[in-house]
Amino acid sequence: MQEMENFMQEAIREARKAANEVPVGAVIVKDGKIIARAHNQRETHGPLAHAEMLAMERAFQTLGERRLHGCTLYVTLEPCPMCAGGIIMAELDGCIFGAYDEKQGCCGSVYTLPEDAAFYHRVRCTGGVMEDECAAMLKAFFEERR
């Protein structure tokens, strides 16, 4: 559990870099080491620039392989349908997230896409790691916007 919290803390640090973006941060870990990190950049790089997608792309660049076997994604917010699909296609070993997204989360809330038996690769998802801290960061961001 301590290792999960350490990596989630790194994802939180990454989320804080998001400036005028929804504060979502992600890190990808392989063999106990962070090999990629990213934060949301949708406002500056377009609608597909979610933290998870950017981190998976950077992990691919680091490893030189599209299959991210042996890798685990840590992200501060439950992945959306697009990112959940990317998690499957990247063939990650696991997805660990902080805050649940009751409106569009697809790793346990609305749907559990990465664990659906219809797909050739399934990814185990674990939510609620440092949930209070992750949720508070998101809540503060949206309150500031109102």
Side-chain angles (χ1 to χ4, degrees):
M1 188 62 158
Q2 184 62 44
E3 184 177 78
M4 273 198 277
E5 288 184 3
N6 289 342
F7 290 127
M8 187 60 70
Q9 190 64 44
E10 288 298 318
I12 290 168
R13 281 189 193 98
E14 193 64 31
R16 290 188 177 126
K17 296 178 185 177
N20 294 321
E21 305 270 353
V22 175
V24 177
V27 298
I28 295 183
V29 175
K30 182 171 183 158
D31 299 327
K33 295 185 175 141
I34 295 173
I35 62 165
R37 57 179 67 232
H39 55 275
N40 267 0
Q41 294 183 25
R42 293 175 4 160
E43 298 301 323
T44 56
H45 289 84
L48 304 181
H50 289 212
E52 303 94 309
M53 300 298 279
L54 295 171
M56 286 186 280
E57 178 64 25
R58 290 173 186 162
F60 159 75
Q61 291 170 353
T62 297
L63 298 175
E65 301 174 11
R66 78 159 182 88
R67 291 177 182 89
L68 301 180
H69 293 169
C71 296
T72 301
L73 169 71
Y74 289 81
V75 61
T76 56
L77 179 64
E78 180 180 1
C80 71
M82 175 184 69
C83 294
I87 288 165
I88 295 167
M89 300 311 291
E91 299 184 23
L92 286 161
D93 283 6
C95 173
I96 298 168
F97 63 89
Y100 285 87
D101 184 345
E102 300 296 330
K103 293 182 181 178
Q104 56 190 6
C106 280
C107 290
S109 290
V110 176
Y111 190 62
T112 310
L113 192 67
E115 294 182 27
D116 192 312
F119 299 104
Y120 69 94
H121 183 79
R122 284 175 286 294
V123 180
R124 186 166 182 219
C125 300
T126 303
V129 175
M130 297 185 70
E131 180 177 9
D132 292 343
E133 190 168 347
C134 293
M137 184 171 48
L138 290 159
K139 182 179 179 186
F141 173 81
F142 287 111
E143 283 178 353
E144 195 175 285
R145 295 276 182 210
R146 292 184 189 132

